[in-house]
Amino acid sequence: QVQLVESGGGLVQPGGSLRLSCAVSGTIFRLYTMGWYRQAPGKQRELVATITSTGSTNYADSVKGRFTISRDNAKNTVYLQMNSLKPEDTAVYYCNGRLGIMEYWGQGTQVTVSS
């Protein structure tokens, strides 16, 4: 059974930082393209960042230069370092794993940016 478990969300002030983690079990993590998505209230889920099995990364324009996605294949974990957070980054953040037609999602972690 494949499981993706996110952690690291919370409340942070504008300009602050958070690091999200997603621990993956039940599959061969290193083969997967991993990603972070987010969904704000009343909005559709959107891509934040992805990282392939070879380490290539892709970012939404809205987070370029502020967020960094990385992975540790030894720990079966993908990270999202979020700096210079803005109120518009407030959302539930979801971890995603894809390999071919297989796709898995975590349960989500809330990130709230507010003073």
Side-chain angles (χ1 to χ4, degrees):
Q1 180 180 356
V2 179
Q3 287 190 315
L4 284 69
V5 180
E6 301 102 332
S7 61
L11 174 64
V12 63
Q13 292 187 342
S17 298
L18 281 176
R19 188 176 81 155
L20 305 182
S21 300
C22 174
V24 180
S25 60
T27 191
I28 306 174
F29 173 78
R30 61 180 173 82
L31 299 180
Y32 279 67
T33 290
M34 300 301 301
W36 288 96
Y37 291 72
R38 67 187 181 187
Q39 187 167 17
K43 295 187 177 181
Q44 290 188 331
R45 191 173 298 189
E46 63 177 3
L47 170 71
V48 176
T50 60
I51 184 166
T52 68
S53 59
T54 58
S56 295
T57 58
N58 180 57
Y59 296 92
D61 287 344
S62 59
V63 307
K64 282 180 181 177
R66 300 188 298 123
F67 291 10
T68 302
I69 189 170
S70 62
R71 66 191 298 160
D72 185 337
N73 289 339
K75 296 183 178 180
N76 287 2
T77 301
V78 61
Y79 304 98
L80 185 68
Q81 178 66 43
M82 304 186 292
N83 298 329
S84 302
L85 283 160
K86 305 175 181 180
E88 51 263 44
D89 294 318
T90 295
V92 178
Y93 284 70
Y94 296 91
C95 179
N96 172 273
R98 289 186 290 110
L99 178 61
I101 63 171
M102 297 183 292
E103 184 173 34
Y104 302 97
W105 291 91
Q107 81 287 349
T109 186
Q110 177 71 46
V111 172
T112 302
V113 185
S114 175
S115 55

